[in-house]
Amino acid sequence: MEFSELIKTATVEDVLLSRPGVAAVRGTLCITSHHLLLSSCPRGDLELWLLIRNVDAVEKRWARPQSCRCRRARAGGSPPVPGTPRAPRCPARPCPSSSSPCWRGRAGMDSSPPQSAQFRLVPPPRSGGSLRDTRVSGSSGTVTLRCKDLRVLQLEIPGMEQCLDVAGSIEALCSLDSVMLTYPFFHRPPGLRLQHGWHRAVPERHLQRVASQTSQWRLSSVNGDFGACPSYPRAVLVPAALGDEAVAKAARFRQGGRFPVLCYFHPKNGTALLRSSQPLTGPNRRRCREDEQLLGTVLGEGERGFVIDTRSAQAAKQARMSGGGTEPKSSYPRWRRLHRALERGRPLQESFARLVEACSDPALSMERWLGRLEGSRWLSHVKAALSTACLAAQCLDREGCKVLVHGAEGTDTTLLVTALAQLILDPACRTLEGFQELLEREWIQAGHPFQLRCARSACSHARGKQEAPVFLLFLDCVWQLSRQFPFSLEFGEQLLLTLFDNAYASAYGTFLCNNEKERSLCKVRESTHSLWAWLNQPEEKHKYLNPLYSHNPLVIWPSVEPQSIQLWQGFFLRWIRPSQHLDEAWVEIQRLVQGKNSSLQESTGKRLSQPLPEPSAGTENGETGTAGTR
Amino acid sequence: MEHIRMPKVENVRLLDRLSSRRAVVGTLYLTATHVIFVENGSETRKETWVLHSQISSIEKQATTATGCPLLIRCKNFQVIHLVIPQERDCHDVYISLIRLARPVKYEELYCFSFNPKLDKEEREQGWKLVDLNEEYNRMGVPNNYWQISDVNRDYGVCDSYPTEVYVPKSATAHIIVGSSKFRSRRRFPALSYYCKGNNASICRSSQPLSGFSARCLEDEQMLQAIRKANPGSDFIYVVDTRPKLNAMANRAAGKGYENEDNYSNIKFQFIGIENIHVMRNSLQKMLEVCELKSPSMSDFLWGLENSGWLKHIKAIMDAGIFIAKVLIEKDWISFGHKFNHRYGNLDGDPKEISPVIDQFIECVWQLMEQFPCAFEFNERFLIHIQHHIYSCQFGNFLCNSQKERRELKIKERTYSLWAHLWKNRADYLNPLYRSDHSQTQGTLHPQIAPCNFLYKFWSGMYNRFEKGLHPRQSVTDYLMAVKEETQQLEEELEVLQERLANLQKSQSGNNKVKSKQQDRSKQFGLYTSNNSLANTPQEYSNDLKSFPSRSPSQGDEDSALILTQDNLKSSDPDLSANSDQESGVEDLSCRSPSGGGCLPSEDSGKDSDEAVFLAG
């Protein structure tokens, strides 16, 4: 298939782009196979690059000047201020004078890799001249692009036909199914080599580390050809006491072959966190000796373990009707089951959509806003996810018990809980590198179906069955942790935002496909670049670091009271709230910390550069030091 | 003290607000000024001190098998839940506290007995820290348009105004007196804020006694004079902070609002800030939400919405923004009714029981959240002020007016909070504040209409005694330490440079620097130790009873509840900056979740034995 077949119009002149909070730009629109490109006219000093994959929904509207809407919205706003030029013209638009720096600021701040949407400022910088006034007369259409990263772009396109063509082309391009046609297979960033960064995708390093800490677990290649479980990586950790044959049999008793594997070994007390999918007990209460054996050997003499089921007890019971189920007490007498119902699937997706809708509704009153926030239930999901992860962590760290986590398929809420629990328990996961490794292990390799779950974001009208923002929920929980423990994570909010953007639309292959098997079939590793390679370049990396970080060897126990759970404004209001003052504060924090570091360095340097008159003075304590002044 | 029926009760249990399972046993003491709870057993014998003046309500609940519960709610949002073994003791404590918490005479207030051991001069100095006249001078008055009037010399015109009032130069004593007679409680329009840049100003007054049709020539002249005091403007805004309906209803009582027809060149604007009764109820509702035991996210958000508190905060902010905007517009503005009480200076009056001052403080906090670099002070400063408004430990917030304060000789007999705060100012600084930062220049422009979501629940205030709820690493403290360290390093650098220069001259060394360096590492240790705060789990499940219900060391950590005698005498009882030092204690007391049959979600053995083994 040729991309050119899908592109009905490649170039459109005189297109007006407007976004909330930023001055409108007029320019020429180009549609390429993967990008939407708008370069401002007449000077061409500004370019918008939007990855078409980032488009979530395309809406068309006819010749309605957009200022009408603004006016209506304003009439419903706060007390009118007669004759005040500073009064906002449009609800989400700060005063025009500030929108120009805002634009530039955004462009500068836009630290996501250049694929999802980037504005390049070609010098000289434009003055924030108002282009809005020169509206095209005659027929024109408006195409509204709602992006997966929640940005909203409005394109005013002259001519009805052109407008339809543009909308049609974008729609066709953004819903391409084939993975091999996506941008990562074409993206060749300068300065990066293809193999770079993919070494991170190899789980063996972690596995070897665990194997060095304990002899109870061994690296198994039972899934070497993805035969036992198509959604597991080739190498997994299983109990050392059990042979591969038994493991393969146990796999057949678990949905999708996801037999219990080790995902985290807690060195402090030798306990372990395992995950799997539900056992296929079914209505006839089938049993599987090997599965019972597997879980049995995990526990030492007289030990008890916990099974944390991410479904309610009732839902777990109901799952038996469709062949699933849970570990019955009679067959697994040493495992105690705890049920923690976590939302998943369609309801979670709807919760996300409702919240995004509430956030972008400017006419909401304070009361209605809180009602809508509550009604979306998103924060309840955050609270539930965090609580369950804490429960798992508590069982491990405080009770010294082994924990098995599973829901139904074991690819969504299961991973949410295990990944969060590790972040809470393990200081190594809280570094930038460790976090990348955690994502790689617990999300990508562990078979979270990114392609299915992240196909659509909050604004899409398509009502797919597979989409669910589980990964976003994870990122939100991480953000909650970072808010409660501002020094304990080495990375900042910007990394979480970038990860979200890339999970939904990326120039890199890291989040492509649904599991390792698919990735290997599509040759993702051979033909695309790794996101990690991009992020870890020094000039990129510094954007994601938390200046306040200092290594915290302890377990971080977050508060899960409602008062402590906050809306992640940086994500949900990223394109809506004015961030200038907060950004300034962030810069100030960086300045303070860097100021310290540089003066520390300088003074250390000075100290070192000093000739050492008496070598003894350097090693002795202060008192003899002062004695040395004689 | 004749009011104390029961000076000491033993074996009292202090319950934890978040979890009934973490209770401590101790002895309760009632003193002339405080309720004191001393924990039994532990080596440290932790103490909880509560000033009587902080008590807002006492509730005796139905006696249970374990004793008689007594709930003490404080004005600083602390809630103390005691269980007293004997009902009779509980009753005595209850009766005593009811009396102690409602002093009838000012002299009973703590500030008259509080003695921070300062000499007379220091105390007087404290009262001079904030001088209103100086504040007005900073604004640029008196000048060609505004002057000090002595019309209220002996509080003859208005007893709730200070003796010195700024009024337009063209307003004669006759006009002022005439106008005052037409205003509620004779609060005539007087200058509140003057904007040097453009001659704009904010005046405030009470509502006019207009009824349905009454007029007052002098009052009209007064507003005219105010308008003329800004030669650049043709009209003034009169802002009535009430909802229009309330204002109209007031007309029936002979009060009301200015009629635009009678006053030339005024523009009238209602801003629907609800009255104090609505506000009080709203706060009450919100505090009930804060007190809920393990609420779900929905309970909390729904309760928050239902309380309407954030709506009121937003209404006030909108009003403030509107007025500020008008000021920028170089217009004149004169306030209607009670604005002083709502936005008023901190010499406001504590007896008017309503949360207006809390709301003002919260509004400042909301602004701080939006403009993190704009304020020189930090959140702790606001919380401490709020605490002391009700603590009555200092004389500043006593009485209803300057007149009463003078009569009581407050300045001679009590201490000033400002001096106290000033002494500890290092604790209250915002590390992000820089006088040359853009956010500190000129006016702030907060977002309005569409930004409801910017107004947040302030758990730092309303749940401030539930430390487990808050971020357990303080960015403010960290940055302050960083700042201080940087400064030390820079000093050290200077020394080193000097030394290097000297060394180059002669080869003699001195090791002064070394000791400096050690200071620094000590300092560094102070804030890195904050990390240990992270180390306590919370209650993560309501039903999993056998898990430790709450952060075990939270009780230890919660030194907000714990005051030592020294603290009390000298500085802030509750809010020491380093209060969290001792946390991070490992919890060893957790019980096993496998203990007992309290695992409700456990599959109750319904799996029958007719299981079929999977073939293969």
Side-chain angles (χ1 to χ4, degrees):
Chain A
M1 190 213 64
E2 286 291 318
F3 286 114
S4 54
E5 291 167 22
L6 301 174
I7 303 170
K8 293 170 190 145
T9 302
T11 316
V12 187
E13 303 278 348
D14 206 20
V15 173
L16 185 74
L17 165 78
S18 45
R19 290 166 294 157
V22 192
V25 188
R26 186 177 298 285
T28 307
L29 184 76
C30 299
I31 299 175
T32 73
S33 44
H34 293 107
H35 283 100
L36 199 71
L37 196 152
L38 186 115
S39 59
S40 70
C41 281
R43 280 183 287 168
D45 49 3
L46 207 60
E47 282 177 8
L48 159 75
W49 288 79
L50 179 75
L51 194 64
I52 292 183
R53 189 108 196 137
N54 192 0
V55 175
D56 201 24
V58 183
E59 288 159 19
K60 289 157 278 189
R61 220 152 33 97
W62 294 114
R64 200 179 296 159
Q66 71 221 98
S67 47
C68 288
R69 243 183 91 215
C70 300
R71 253 183 221 124
R72 249 186 292 126
R74 183 190 159 192
S78 62
V81 182
T84 51
R86 276 181 193 273
R89 294 268 176 269
C90 184
R93 196 182 302 275
C95 42
S97 60
S98 74
S99 48
S100 175
C102 209
W103 167 282
R104 226 173 292 148
R106 276 273 155 73
M109 284 295 296
D110 201 344
S111 42
S112 54
Q115 71 293 352
S116 70
Q118 197 197 36
F119 292 88
R120 279 187 211 149
L121 196 67
V122 188
R126 47 178 273 106
S127 61
S130 159
L131 287 153
R132 304 163 47 74
D133 307 328
T134 54
R135 198 173 294 119
V136 204
S137 51
S139 91
S140 74
T142 307
V143 174
T144 305
L145 302 179
R146 297 188 184 276
C147 297
K148 289 175 182 166
D149 60 9
L150 308 186
R151 193 180 340 201
V152 180
L153 307 177
Q154 266 193 7
L155 299 168
E156 225 173 283
I157 298 165
M160 188 160 145
E161 203 167 321
Q162 282 198 105
C163 178
L164 279 176
D165 283 350
V166 168
S169 312
I170 296 173
E171 267 170 342
L173 286 169
C174 74
S175 50
L176 278 180
D177 276 337
S178 165
V179 177
M180 309 285 274
L181 289 175
T182 54
Y183 186 54
F185 286 88
F186 301 85
H187 182 51
R188 295 290 172 265
L192 284 186
R193 283 183 313 161
L194 269 178
Q195 306 86 333
H196 221 85
W198 285 113
H199 67 274
R200 227 169 262 282
V202 181
E204 274 82 1
R205 209 152 51 123
H206 166 250
L207 304 180
Q208 273 153 12
R209 197 168 58 228
V210 172
S212 73
Q213 285 166 328
T214 169
S215 56
Q216 287 185 318
W217 300 87
R218 68 179 177 88
L219 203 60
S220 165
S221 53
V222 64
N223 202 35
D225 55 355
F226 304 111
C229 172
S231 61
Y232 272 170
R234 292 180 201 269
V236 288
L237 279 166
V238 296
L242 210 66
D244 278 354
E245 213 171 297
V247 173
K249 279 182 183 161
R252 269 178 262 165
F253 185 61
R254 295 274 170 178
Q255 185 177 3
R258 294 176 71 89
F259 51 92
V261 293
L262 178 89
C263 62
Y264 172 65
F265 178 80
H266 197 40
K268 179 183 146 194
N269 52 13
T271 54
L273 183 64
L274 293 85
R275 56 174 153 74
S276 71
S277 63
Q278 63 179 344
L280 300 173
T281 49
N284 297 326
R285 293 153 206 269
R286 289 194 304 169
R287 299 175 61 171
C288 169
R289 261 193 208 97
E290 286 76 11
D291 192 70
E292 289 169 20
Q293 211 183 334
L294 197 162
L295 287 180
T297 56
V298 165
L299 299 178
E301 200 68 33
E303 260 185 356
R304 283 171 167 276
F306 285 95
V307 175
I308 296 180
D309 193 324
T310 63
R311 302 164 293 179
S312 68
Q314 206 192 351
K317 212 159 271 174
Q318 272 170 359
R320 283 213 296 250
M321 298 336 296
S322 49
T326 110
E327 293 80 0
K329 204 179 185 177
S330 52
S331 336
Y332 302 85
R334 288 152 76 201
W335 289 88
R336 286 181 170 268
R337 250 184 14 246
L338 302 170
H339 289 273
R340 288 290 175 277
L342 298 184
E343 202 56 87
R344 67 199 78 213
R346 188 76 217 155
L348 194 61
Q349 179 79 2
E350 272 164 9
S351 166
F352 177 35
R354 275 200 302 272
L355 178 56
V356 169
E357 200 187 321
C359 287
S360 46
D361 186 347
L364 277 185
S365 69
M366 192 71 214
E367 281 165 306
R368 298 266 334 269
W369 155 248
L370 285 172
R372 295 271 292 270
L373 181 63
E374 193 266 310
S376 79
R377 313 262 314 131
W378 181 261
L379 292 180
S380 305
H381 302 324
V382 172
K383 178 170 152 50
L386 266 181
S387 315
T388 310
C390 289
L391 178 70
Q394 200 171 9
C395 290
L396 281 163
D397 188 65
R398 296 289 159 135
E399 310 302 324
C401 292
K402 302 207 165 83
V403 177
L404 167 68
V405 182
H406 73 71
E409 293 172 15
T411 54
D412 296 288
T413 50
T414 305
L415 305 180
L416 178 66
V417 172
T418 56
L420 280 174
Q422 291 178 58
L423 205 61
I424 291 166
L425 290 171
D426 186 4
C429 293
R430 298 182 219 133
T431 63
L432 183 63
E433 201 188 333
F435 188 63
Q436 291 175 9
E437 223 181 272
L438 177 75
L439 288 175
E440 190 63 52
R441 264 192 298 122
E442 285 303 293
W443 287 93
I444 299 167
Q445 303 267 327
H448 177 66
F450 277 99
Q451 198 189 331
L452 290 171
R453 299 289 181 260
C454 303
R456 295 276 163 218
S457 176
C459 312
S460 171
H461 305 300
R463 305 198 121 240
K465 276 198 178 133
Q466 291 288 346
E467 288 83 6
V470 189
F471 187 59
L472 171 65
L473 189 55
F474 168 72
L475 295 176
D476 197 331
C477 291
V478 177
W479 180 82
Q480 306 284 346
L481 282 174
S482 77
R483 199 191 67 82
Q484 293 194 28
F485 297 94
F487 315 150
S488 296
L489 304 183
E490 200 194 7
F491 47 90
E493 182 178 57
Q494 195 53 50
L495 179 74
L496 304 177
L497 295 173
T498 303
L499 288 171
F500 174 85
D501 294 347
N502 279 278
Y504 279 79
S506 180
Y508 301 91
T510 299
F511 290 106
L512 285 183
C513 303
N514 294 309
N515 51 52
E516 274 308 286
K517 189 181 175 187
E518 288 184 20
R519 257 168 238 131
S520 128
L521 286 173
C522 294
K523 300 204 183 326
V524 167
R525 223 178 259 206
E526 291 80 19
S527 349
T528 72
H529 283 278
S530 161
L531 175 67
W532 311 133
W534 167 267
L535 291 186
N536 292 327
Q537 299 176 107
E539 65 273 24
E540 275 297 306
K541 193 174 168 180
H542 80 271
K543 295 178 196 164
Y544 306 109
L545 291 173
N546 171 13
L548 300 173
Y549 174 72
S550 72
H551 177 74
N552 176 1
L554 303 170
V555 178
I556 50 172
W557 298 108
S559 160
V560 294
E561 299 293 322
Q563 288 95 324
S564 317
I565 307 285
Q566 288 191 359
L567 176 69
W568 183 12
Q569 295 200 351
F571 173 75
F572 288 101
L573 307 173
R574 175 157 46 145
W575 313 106
I576 301 167
R577 74 168 177 185
S579 62
Q580 184 201 342
H581 302 297
L582 303 175
D583 294 343
E584 281 170 6
W586 191 243
V587 170
E588 188 66 22
I589 288 174
Q590 280 176 322
R591 197 189 65 85
L592 283 177
V593 176
Q594 272 158 14
K596 186 203 88 180
N597 290 343
S598 65
S599 49
L600 182 67
Q601 258 171 20
E602 209 174 322
S603 74
T604 320
K606 278 270 155 46
R607 219 178 291 132
L608 289 177
S609 70
Q610 289 194 24
L612 294 171
E614 307 112 303
S616 62
T619 52
E620 279 167 54
N621 62 26
E623 269 174 38
T624 39
T626 41
T629 54
R630 279 174 293 168
Chain B
M1 279 294 288
E2 71 271 38
H3 306 306
I4 300 171
R5 291 188 175 197
M6 195 73 195
K8 178 180 173 189
V9 189
E10 286 182 343
N11 289 321
V12 174
R13 286 189 305 139
L14 175 66
L15 300 188
D16 193 287
R17 185 161 154 190
L18 288 183
S19 156
S20 52
R21 303 196 323 106
R22 284 192 47 79
V24 285
V25 179
T27 309
L28 185 75
Y29 298 92
L30 298 192
T31 73
T33 52
H34 288 84
V35 183
I36 305 164
F37 178 84
V38 183
E39 251 177 62
N40 286 353
S42 66
E43 290 161 24
T44 43
R45 289 176 67 80
K46 299 227 163 59
E47 298 171 0
T48 306
W49 291 61
V50 175
L51 267 170
H52 295 326
S53 48
Q54 282 288 6
I55 297 174
S56 95
S57 76
I58 310 147
E59 189 186 325
K60 208 174 83 180
Q61 294 177 332
T63 311
T64 64
T66 52
C68 191
L70 190 69
L71 206 62
I72 304 174
R73 289 197 180 79
C74 300
K75 292 167 186 164
N76 59 4
F77 312 116
Q78 185 173 14
V79 178
I80 293 174
H81 198 153
L82 299 168
V83 179
I84 298 173
Q86 297 297 322
E87 187 170 6
R88 203 164 38 88
D89 293 344
C90 183
H91 186 71
D92 284 345
V93 170
Y94 174 73
I95 296 292
S96 313
L97 283 180
I98 287 220
R99 175 60 188 83
L100 291 167
R102 307 237 183 306
V104 283
K105 287 185 303 220
Y106 280 120
E107 282 75 6
E108 289 178 35
L109 291 174
Y110 182 48
C111 58
F112 290 100
S113 53
F114 174 66
N115 185 356
K117 300 208 172 67
L118 293 175
D119 57 35
K120 185 162 173 277
E121 211 166 287
E122 280 175 294
R123 189 179 67 192
E124 278 169 6
Q125 202 59 37
W127 282 111
K128 282 177 191 151
L129 269 175
V130 178
D131 181 354
L132 277 186
N133 277 337
E134 229 165 73
E135 194 51 26
Y136 278 107
N137 288 340
R138 185 183 65 80
M139 293 180 206
V141 285
N143 60 11
N144 286 339
Y145 306 109
W146 295 90
Q147 63 180 14
I148 300 181
S149 164
D150 60 351
V151 70
N152 201 32
R153 209 167 26 243
D154 308 311
Y155 305 104
V157 177
C158 172
D159 60 4
S160 60
Y161 269 2
T163 47
E164 290 172 336
V165 188
Y166 288 82
V167 293
K169 260 198 172 153
S170 57
T172 60
H174 171 74
I175 293 179
I176 296 171
V177 173
S179 166
S180 76
K181 286 178 181 155
F182 189 61
R183 296 270 168 185
S184 255
R185 297 186 62 204
R186 316 192 88 196
R187 293 173 69 90
F188 56 89
L191 184 73
S192 151
Y193 176 78
Y194 180 78
C195 185
K196 217 191 303 190
N198 55 18
N199 296 332
S201 72
I202 302 177
C203 298
R204 55 174 138 72
S205 74
S206 60
Q207 62 185 338
L209 304 172
S210 55
F212 288 98
S213 59
R215 295 182 58 169
C216 169
L217 188 64
E218 289 88 353
D219 194 58
E220 288 162 28
Q221 285 172 337
M222 184 74 191
L223 263 63
Q224 201 69 347
I226 291 172
R227 180 178 68 76
K228 284 186 186 139
N230 181 0
S233 175
D234 301 332
F235 55 88
I236 65 175
Y237 278 108
V238 177
V239 179
D240 191 317
T241 59
R242 296 168 295 185
K244 190 169 184 184
L245 206 65
N246 299 14
M248 285 166 76
N250 261 321
R251 287 193 301 188
K255 299 162 185 173
Y257 52 93
E258 290 83 355
N259 185 339
E260 274 181 283
D261 299 337
N262 298 340
Y263 294 82
S264 52
N265 301 318
I266 70 164
K267 290 188 178 177
F268 203 83
Q269 178 76 47
F270 283 108
I271 295 180
I273 300 177
E274 294 289 350
N275 64 29
I276 59 172
H277 312 293
V278 174
M279 295 301 190
R280 193 169 51 231
N281 287 338
S282 171
L283 179 63
Q284 185 56 39
K285 277 189 189 165
M286 187 178 71
L287 292 177
E288 279 164 20
V289 173
C290 297
E291 264 186 63
L292 286 176
K293 276 189 181 156
S294 55
S296 73
M297 202 70 220
S298 295
D299 292 341
F300 177 73
L301 287 174
W302 189 84
L304 194 59
E305 179 198 341
N306 208 34
S307 75
W309 179 257
L310 285 177
K311 181 185 74 177
H312 298 314
I313 292 292
K314 183 168 184 294
I316 297 170
M317 289 295 289
D318 284 349
I321 291 163
F322 169 76
I323 287 148
K325 225 178 231 149
V326 172
L327 271 185
I328 297 157
E329 294 300 301
K330 307 184 186 190
D331 277 318
W332 280 98
I333 188 152
S334 157
F335 276 96
H337 332 301
K338 286 197 176 176
F339 202 80
N340 178 34
H341 295 254
R342 312 236 151 157
Y343 259 24
N345 53 25
L346 291 174
D347 293 335
D349 76 49
K351 271 290 161 70
E352 181 167 7
I353 299 175
S354 91
V356 280
I357 193 74
D358 298 343
Q359 284 177 320
F360 171 75
I361 289 173
E362 172 158 349
C363 285
V364 175
W365 178 79
Q366 299 279 3
L367 276 176
M368 281 164 65
E369 285 287 293
Q370 290 184 38
F371 299 92
C373 307
F375 294 85
E376 191 177 2
F377 49 85
N378 59 26
E379 179 180 2
R380 193 180 293 136
F381 184 67
L382 295 179
I383 292 177
H384 286 203
I385 289 177
Q386 195 274 349
H387 177 85
H388 285 298
I389 285 169
Y390 296 108
S391 75
C392 301
Q393 190 172 342
F394 298 93
N396 302 62
F397 303 101
L398 250 49
C399 310
N400 288 320
S401 62
Q402 194 190 44
K403 184 181 172 202
E404 281 184 45
R405 277 189 286 278
R406 281 211 185 154
E407 284 165 1
L408 268 172
K409 299 198 180 5
I410 292 286
K411 287 193 184 179
E412 286 90 70
R413 297 166 65 193
T414 71
Y415 295 86
S416 167
L417 171 64
W418 307 131
H420 171 74
L421 294 176
W422 179 250
K423 201 177 74 204
N424 302 314
R425 61 190 171 280
D427 288 345
Y428 304 122
L429 292 178
N430 172 11
L432 296 180
Y433 177 84
R434 240 187 324 142
S435 54
D436 56 345
H437 193 278
S438 63
Q439 284 183 32
T440 64
Q441 309 300 312
T443 324
L444 304 176
H445 296 280
Q447 291 298 313
I448 38 166
C451 298
N452 291 309
F453 34 72
L454 291 177
Y455 296 97
K456 294 184 282 196
F457 172 72
W458 188 8
S459 67
M461 173 66 92
Y462 303 109
N463 279 114
R464 86 174 216 246
F465 289 94
E466 278 70 41
K467 287 247 160 128
L469 296 180
H470 305 149
R472 281 188 263 172
Q473 298 176 316
S474 160
V475 175
T476 304
D477 290 347
Y478 176 83
L479 289 176
M480 276 320 284
V482 163
K483 231 176 160 172
E484 208 171 305
E485 197 187 338
T486 310
Q487 207 177 343
Q488 282 182 8
L489 282 167
E490 273 161 11
E491 280 166 24
E492 184 183 323
L493 195 64
E494 246 168 66
V495 175
L496 282 166
Q497 262 159 351
E498 220 170 89
R499 215 180 120 196
L500 204 59
N502 288 340
L503 273 169
Q504 277 156 356
K505 279 184 210 156
S506 64
Q507 282 292 334
S508 69
N510 94 48
N511 283 50
K512 201 175 147 200
V513 182
K514 272 221 66 180
S515 54
K516 269 249 173 190
Q517 193 188 340
Q518 278 169 347
D519 289 353
R520 186 175 50 74
S521 50
K522 211 169 100 194
Q523 169 98 34
F524 195 81
L526 184 105
Y527 66 78
T528 44
S529 73
N530 276 350
N531 273 336
S532 58
L533 300 189
N535 198 23
T536 51
Q538 300 267 311
E539 182 169 275
Y540 295 121
S541 57
N542 309 329
D543 47 351
L544 190 69
K545 296 230 177 56
S546 48
F547 271 110
S549 56
R550 206 189 142 205
S551 146
S553 61
Q554 232 161 45
D556 321 341
E557 193 181 316
D558 225 348
S559 41
L561 292 174
I562 298 148
L563 325 168
T564 63
Q565 195 85 33
D566 300 335
N567 264 343
L568 181 87
K569 276 179 187 150
S570 58
S571 125
D572 283 292
D574 50 336
L575 321 133
S576 48
N578 52 357
S579 62
D580 292 332
Q581 287 296 314
E582 55 182 342
S583 64
V585 185
E586 285 279 343
D587 170 41
L588 303 168
S589 65
C590 311
R591 278 187 279 153
S592 158
S594 46
C598 12
L599 302 172
S601 48
E602 177 76 24
D603 223 12
S604 50
K606 276 192 183 169
D607 308 295
S608 67
D609 289 325
E610 42 182 288
V612 179
F613 274 89
L614 188 72

